[in-house]
Amino acid sequence: MLKACINHGLHIFLQNYSMNEHLKICMVSPELSPFAKIGGLGDCVASLAKFIAQLGHEVKVVLPKYASIRLPEHCIEHLSPLVISMGYGKEYGKIWEIRAKNLSFYFVEFHRYFDRTGIYSDVYGDYRDNDERFAFLSRVAIDVCYYFNWVPDIFHGHDWTTGLIPVMLDTVERQRSMGQCGSVFTIHNLQHQGYARKSVLDFLGIPGHVFRPDGVEAFGQVNMLKAGLYFASKLTTVSETYAREIQTPTFGFGLDAVLKFRAGDLIGIRNGIDETLWSPQHDPFLPAKFSTKNMAGKVFCKRRLQRCCDFPIDDSVPLLGIVARLYEQKGLDIFANILPGLLEKLTLQVVLLGNGESSLETRFIEIAKKYDRRCFVHIGFHEALSHLIEAGADFFLMPSRFEPCGLNQMYSMRYGTIPIVRATGGLRDTVENFSEKNETGTGFLFDDLTESSLYNTICWAYKIYRDCPRAIAGMRLRAMVQDFSWNTSAKKYIDVYHWAKKC
Ligand code: ADP
Ligand code: GLC
């Protein structure tokens, strides 16, 4: 089970505790695929909830009903109003439910905060009241449980948007039924911390004594992520390496000391992937299916991708794919610096799908204009194209500055597309560097995010593609059979839930 995996406290706990009991888990998240997704958080929460439910536990997921969400017809409308107990009085919302075996998704309708097309932002930028919106979501989650008279064993919050839940459980809820619940707080990304005015505490009825440096306070404001880190019963993050990295100043975004302080309650659990959605044998977005036994479909997918990008259809030219949020985290500014040089030197095709910082979007658009039959850029969010890139490309690039887990490198490996990644966080934990001598490895790794190391690593991959097709074929097959399923990771979460419950 968890033996090799970091946390001594959990290990001792597991030796002395039998865990046959079925658990009730309330998950809270701002994103949930396929309804509301910006990045990997939505995929992760949806698949984790599903796999925990499949293990026989009862899972309820609470998220906002954003204006962009189209609910299916079989969705249940709960007619009596949801009462939300704010610090200043009551608010009323409405719950819509999608129900499956052991699993419910609760979409909460509340116009003032959630009736917007974006999750965090629109074309004008981040919503200015995100602190209030997600503080409100945290309260909503607890009140949804009261609404159904359902006391979970664990509240499981994801990222800063849910950081005030454990604080409420420990304060305003302490003498009420939800105050008995344990809490697990998962860090998907430490960079986004959710700063709020101090008044957010009154907004939720949380007493002011938590506003202290070893509580929710940071730089005179409430830091919602820090709140979760201090108050949750147990902490997880999405890979073992990231669990270690965030305890250092380089990756800690100012919270490394807090994480060190709570190291005994922190564990890294690598995300899995949902192979019913991401597998070359079944993916409905692909023009042809394939598997390790028959790779012809992959060639077909590559040709389709080349056609979509208006590239020459040529199997011998390596195709490099990227699907990413275009933000500093992903290191693609460094890639933009070297891309023209790469396209001048190598016979390479590059396709990039993403959106984010407008300056980076513009740079990639300019490069694609100049090298139009070798570089294609699609700015926007496009689920179908993302699947085709994962399947049709030869290589998949992730030069991240930091990467808590990363799902794309696992998706790409599942499709026999070889990742070229910086050795950090979950990328380090999931990709094994190629060794020509030993014929091992599933991708190409580099340590330092510099132009030269990125350039050289891409050239290395290019050279192997050109000179050693056998090595590439072997690497593809090794990548495709890696076990990235949720089987092991979901069980680790169950262990952590039991651990949190016993606190
Ligand atoms: P992160 O969560 O940091 O963005 P991950 O690798 O964990 O990184 O997950 C990214 C997820 O978001 C993947 O499912 C990826 O395909 C998807 N994604 C990111 N940008 C886009 C886009 N522009 N269009 C479609 N899917 C995207
Ligand atoms: C975050 C991280 C990413 C991770 C995802 C799901 O968005 O940036 O690395 O895979 O969450 O956990």
Side-chain angles (χ1 to χ4, degrees), residues 37-41 43 278 323-325 329-330 353-355 380-383 386 390 398 403 406-409 411:
K37 167 177 168 181
I38 298 287
L41 175 62
D43 285 6
W278 293 92
V323 181
R325 295 179 298 109
Q329 175 192 347
K330 300 296 173 181
L353 165 66
N355 56 1
F381 194 89
H382 198 307
E383 190 73 29
S386 74
E390 301 279 4
M398 294 177 77
E403 196 60 74
L407 297 176
N408 276 322
Q409 81 283 8
Y411 295 152

Coordinates of all heavy atoms in Angstrom, one line a residue, residues 37-41 43 278 323-325 329-330 353-355 380-383 386 390 398 403 406-409 411, ligand 1:
K37 N -14.5 23.3 -16.6 CA -13.1 22.9 -16.6 C -12.2 24.0 -17.2 O -12.6 24.5 -18.3 CB -13.0 21.6 -17.4 CG -11.5 21.2 -17.8 CD -11.4 19.9 -18.5 CE -10.0 19.7 -19.1 NZ -9.9 18.5 -19.8
I38 N -11.1 24.3 -16.5 CA -10.1 25.2 -17.0 C -8.9 24.4 -17.3 O -8.2 24.7 -18.3 CB -9.8 26.4 -16.0 CG1 -11.0 27.2 -15.7 CG2 -8.6 27.2 -16.5 CD1 -11.4 28.1 -16.8
G39 N -8.6 23.5 -16.4 CA -7.4 22.7 -16.5 C -7.6 21.4 -15.8 O -8.7 20.9 -15.7
G40 N -6.5 20.9 -15.3 CA -6.5 19.5 -14.7 C -7.3 19.3 -13.5 O -7.7 18.2 -13.2
L41 N -7.6 20.4 -12.7 CA -8.4 20.3 -11.5 C -9.7 19.6 -11.8 O -10.2 18.7 -11.1 CB -8.5 21.7 -10.9 CG -9.4 21.8 -9.6 CD1 -8.9 20.9 -8.5 CD2 -9.6 23.2 -9.2
D43 N -10.6 17.7 -14.3 CA -10.5 16.3 -14.6 C -10.2 15.5 -13.4 O -10.7 14.4 -13.2 CB -9.3 16.1 -15.6 CG -9.6 16.5 -17.0 OD1 -10.6 17.1 -17.2 OD2 -8.7 16.3 -17.9
W278 N -9.8 8.8 -21.6 CA -8.5 9.1 -22.2 C -7.9 7.7 -22.5 O -7.0 7.3 -21.7 CB -7.6 9.9 -21.3 CG -8.1 11.3 -21.1 CD1 -8.9 11.8 -20.1 CD2 -7.8 12.5 -22.0 NE1 -9.1 13.1 -20.3 CE2 -8.5 13.6 -21.4 CE3 -7.0 12.6 -23.1 CZ2 -8.4 14.9 -22.0 CZ3 -6.9 13.9 -23.7 CH2 -7.6 15.0 -23.1
V323 N -0.6 21.3 -25.4 CA -1.9 21.7 -24.9 C -1.7 22.3 -23.6 O -1.3 21.6 -22.6 CB -2.9 20.6 -24.9 CG1 -4.3 21.1 -24.4 CG2 -3.0 19.8 -26.2
A324 N -2.0 23.6 -23.4 CA -1.7 24.1 -22.1 C -2.3 25.5 -21.8 O -2.6 26.2 -22.8 CB -0.2 24.3 -21.9
R325 N -2.6 25.8 -20.5 CA -2.9 27.1 -20.2 C -1.6 27.9 -20.4 O -0.5 27.5 -20.0 CB -3.3 27.2 -18.7 CG -4.6 26.4 -18.4 CD -4.9 26.4 -16.9 NE -3.9 25.8 -16.1 CZ -3.1 26.4 -15.2 NH1 -3.2 27.7 -15.1 NH2 -2.3 25.7 -14.5
Q329 N 3.6 29.4 -15.2 CA 3.9 28.1 -14.7 C 4.4 27.1 -15.8 O 5.2 26.3 -15.5 CB 2.6 27.5 -14.1 CG 2.7 26.1 -13.6 CD 1.4 25.5 -13.3 OE1 0.3 26.1 -13.1 NE2 1.3 24.1 -13.1
K330 N 3.8 27.3 -17.0 CA 4.0 26.2 -18.0 C 5.4 26.4 -18.7 O 5.7 25.5 -19.5 CB 2.9 26.2 -19.0 CG 1.5 25.9 -18.3 CD 1.5 24.5 -17.7 CE 0.3 24.3 -16.9 NZ 0.2 22.9 -16.3
L353 N -2.1 24.3 -28.7 CA -3.5 24.7 -28.3 C -3.4 25.2 -26.9 O -2.9 24.6 -26.0 CB -4.4 23.4 -28.4 CG -5.7 23.5 -27.7 CD1 -6.7 24.5 -28.3 CD2 -6.4 22.1 -27.6
G354 N -4.0 26.4 -26.8 CA -4.0 27.0 -25.4 C -4.5 28.4 -25.4 O -4.8 29.0 -26.4
N355 N -4.7 28.9 -24.2 CA -5.1 30.3 -24.0 C -4.6 30.7 -22.6 O -4.3 29.9 -21.8 CB -6.5 30.6 -24.3 CG -7.4 29.7 -23.4 OD1 -6.9 28.9 -22.6 ND2 -8.7 29.9 -23.5
G380 N -7.6 29.2 -27.6 CA -8.9 28.9 -27.1 C -9.0 27.6 -26.4 O -7.9 26.9 -26.2
F381 N -10.1 27.2 -26.0 CA -10.3 25.9 -25.3 C -11.0 25.0 -26.2 O -12.1 25.3 -26.7 CB -11.1 26.1 -24.0 CG -11.0 24.9 -23.1 CD1 -10.0 24.8 -22.1 CD2 -11.9 23.9 -23.2 CE1 -9.9 23.7 -21.3 CE2 -11.8 22.8 -22.4 CZ -10.8 22.7 -21.4
H382 N -10.4 23.8 -26.5 CA -11.0 23.0 -27.6 C -10.8 21.5 -27.2 O -9.7 21.0 -27.4 CB -10.4 23.3 -28.9 CG -11.1 22.8 -30.1 ND1 -11.5 21.5 -30.2 CD2 -11.5 23.5 -31.2 CE1 -12.2 21.4 -31.4 NE2 -12.2 22.6 -32.0
E383 N -11.8 20.9 -26.6 CA -11.7 19.6 -26.0 C -11.3 18.6 -27.1 O -10.3 17.8 -27.0 CB -13.0 19.2 -25.4 CG -13.0 17.9 -24.5 CD -12.2 18.0 -23.2 OE1 -12.2 19.1 -22.6 OE2 -11.7 17.0 -22.8
S386 N -7.8 18.9 -28.3 CA -6.8 18.5 -27.3 C -6.6 16.9 -27.4 O -5.5 16.4 -27.3 CB -7.2 18.9 -25.9 OG -8.2 18.1 -25.4
E390 N -3.1 15.0 -28.4 CA -2.5 13.9 -27.6 C -2.2 12.7 -28.4 O -1.2 12.0 -28.2 CB -3.4 13.6 -26.4 CG -3.7 14.7 -25.5 CD -2.7 15.0 -24.4 OE1 -1.6 14.4 -24.5 OE2 -2.9 15.9 -23.6
M398 N 6.1 19.7 -22.3 CA 5.7 20.4 -21.0 C 7.0 20.9 -20.3 O 7.5 20.3 -19.4 CB 5.0 19.4 -20.1 CG 3.6 19.0 -20.7 SD 2.8 17.8 -19.6 CE 2.1 18.8 -18.3
E403 N 5.2 21.9 -11.7 CA 4.1 21.1 -12.2 C 3.7 20.2 -11.1 O 4.2 19.1 -10.9 CB 4.4 20.3 -13.4 CG 3.2 19.8 -14.2 CD 2.3 20.9 -14.7 OE1 2.7 21.7 -15.6 OE2 1.2 21.1 -14.1
G406 N 0.4 17.3 -13.3 CA 0.3 17.3 -14.7 C -0.4 16.1 -15.2 O -0.1 14.9 -14.7
L407 N -1.4 16.3 -16.0 CA -2.2 15.2 -16.5 C -1.8 14.9 -18.0 O -1.8 13.8 -18.4 CB -3.7 15.5 -16.5 CG -4.3 15.7 -15.1 CD1 -5.7 16.0 -15.1 CD2 -4.1 14.4 -14.2
N408 N -1.4 16.0 -18.7 CA -1.2 15.9 -20.1 C -0.1 14.9 -20.5 O -0.1 14.2 -21.5 CB -0.9 17.2 -20.7 CG -2.2 18.0 -21.0 OD1 -3.1 17.4 -21.5 ND2 -2.2 19.3 -20.8
Q409 N 1.0 14.9 -19.6 CA 2.1 13.9 -20.0 C 1.6 12.5 -19.8 O 2.0 11.6 -20.6 CB 3.3 14.2 -19.1 CG 3.3 13.6 -17.7 CD 2.4 14.5 -16.7 OE1 1.7 15.3 -17.1 NE2 2.5 14.1 -15.4
Y411 N -1.7 11.6 -20.2 CA -2.6 11.3 -21.4 C -1.7 11.0 -22.6 O -2.0 10.1 -23.3 CB -3.4 12.6 -21.7 CG -4.4 13.0 -20.6 CD1 -4.8 14.3 -20.5 CD2 -5.0 12.0 -19.8 CE1 -5.7 14.7 -19.5 CE2 -5.9 12.4 -18.8 CZ -6.3 13.7 -18.7 OH -7.2 14.1 -17.7
Ligands
ADP1 P1 -3.1 22.3 -15.4 O1 -4.2 21.8 -14.6 O2 -2.0 23.0 -14.7 O3 -3.6 23.1 -16.5 P2 -2.8 19.5 -16.3 O4 -1.8 18.9 -17.2 O5 -3.0 18.9 -15.0 O6 -2.4 21.1 -16.2 O7 -4.2 19.5 -17.0 C1 -4.5 20.3 -18.1 C2 -5.9 19.8 -18.6 O8 -6.5 20.9 -19.2 C3 -5.8 18.7 -19.6 O9 -7.0 17.9 -19.6 C4 -5.7 19.5 -20.9 O10 -6.0 18.8 -22.0 C5 -6.7 20.6 -20.6 N1 -6.5 21.8 -21.4 C6 -5.7 22.9 -21.1 N2 -5.8 23.8 -22.0 C7 -6.7 23.4 -22.9 C8 -7.2 24.0 -24.0 N3 -6.9 25.2 -24.5 N4 -8.2 23.3 -24.7 C9 -8.5 22.0 -24.3 N5 -8.1 21.5 -23.2 C10 -7.1 22.1 -22.5

